[in-house]
Amino acid sequence: MEIEVSATLLDAYKCLPGLPSHPEQIAKVIDVLGKTSSADYDLLHLIQYDPAIAARILAVANLPVYGYERRVESLQQAAGLLSPSLVTSVILTTPVFEMFRDADHTYHRKFDHLQLWAHGAVTGTLAALLANKLGTMEEDVCLTLGLLHDLGKMALIINHPREVLEALDRARKDALPFPQALQDVAGCTPQEVAGQLAEEWHYPANLIEYIQSLENGKVARETGPVVIVRLANRLAEDWGYGDGLHLPENEPLDPLVAALGISLSDLSQWKPDMQSRAENRARRILSKTLS
């Protein structure tokens, strides 16, 4: 029975065209589009605040019809390759999350969706900053991976909230990692769902591998962007910008820091700047405008 649940749940993500965005985020982006011409706004500025919009833009940029020789693995590349009118069209046709709520909000009302959106944006910001501090990895790839690191979790909360709530309850009661609890409940993990979506949306192979590796618990230099994003995720949680699921963050800092060739004292030195950037990003997500 558990195998059947797994197959059914993962199959549900094989033909999913995209994720809906939070209505407040859509409203803010539309407000910016309405006030400026396509020649005046920064496309990357618009899409790096919203994981759902970012995921759709990246999917469009990787459609076979465009035939780019190098697969598009970052939002910066996508914004540079796609025309402003096409990006605007994708943004304006992104479905609104309210359409996906269960009729009486029995399940969805138990999640703070805007906090989850803000967590993704803050993690992306911190990942880009860490890449900049290290100077050895592509900031735009780290930003994109950080923004999308909860892709599977978001998809599950939107489409299978009952299973997520059951897994959260099991994780808290039995002190289990959330992926393991979800595996027990639904037969899959958030990163398996994220990997399924990334493949469905024709993301480049290395980005798919990064997304799938975010959950495996391994720390290695050769997966630098993954380590950076996991460290950024941990810092976001520690600094009050969690995903709203209220689960303890158990991944220790020391192995992540050591894998990047830095020290805790380096983090302490960078902390004021990083916290300031994180606060600014979260404030823009939670405010009425993106300005």
Side-chain angles (χ1 to χ4, degrees), residues 174-270:
D174 299 338
L176 295 174
F178 175 66
Q180 180 181 335
L182 187 67
Q183 177 75 52
D184 294 342
V185 170
C188 67
T189 69
Q191 293 318 123
E192 287 175 340
V193 171
Q196 178 73 64
L197 291 174
E199 290 180 2
E200 178 69 23
W201 297 339
H202 305 288
Y203 286 4
N206 63 323
L207 187 57
I208 294 174
E209 183 179 353
Y210 289 158
I211 289 172
Q212 293 173 329
S213 298
L214 284 168
E215 194 172 72
N216 65 17
K218 297 178 181 178
V219 175
R221 288 183 182 275
E222 59 266 27
T223 55
V226 173
V227 181
I228 280 183
V229 169
R230 282 167 53 191
L231 177 55
N233 175 68
R234 171 63 193 270
L235 294 176
E237 293 275 355
D238 286 352
W239 295 343
Y241 307 107
D243 58 15
L245 300 184
H246 308 296
L247 288 170
E249 182 56 69
N250 296 318
E251 186 164 31
L253 283 176
D254 288 348
L256 297 174
V257 170
L260 294 173
I262 59 177
S263 66
L264 292 177
S265 61
D266 290 323
L267 276 186
S268 179
Q269 182 179 351
W270 301 339

Side-chain angles (χ1 to χ4, degrees), residues 96-144:
V96 177
F97 172 70
E98 295 292 333
M99 299 165 53
F100 288 74
R101 289 183 184 270
D102 46 291
D104 59 1
H105 293 201
T106 300
Y107 304 120
H108 281 292
R109 68 183 177 184
K110 298 183 180 181
F111 296 104
D112 187 339
H113 300 91
L114 194 56
Q115 186 173 347
L116 180 60
W117 260 247
H119 171 69
V122 168
T123 300
T125 296
L126 293 178
L129 283 170
L130 285 168
N132 177 268
K133 301 289 187 183
L134 290 166
T136 57
M137 298 175 205
E138 295 179 273
E139 290 180 48
D140 55 329
V141 172
C142 291
L143 183 151
T144 301

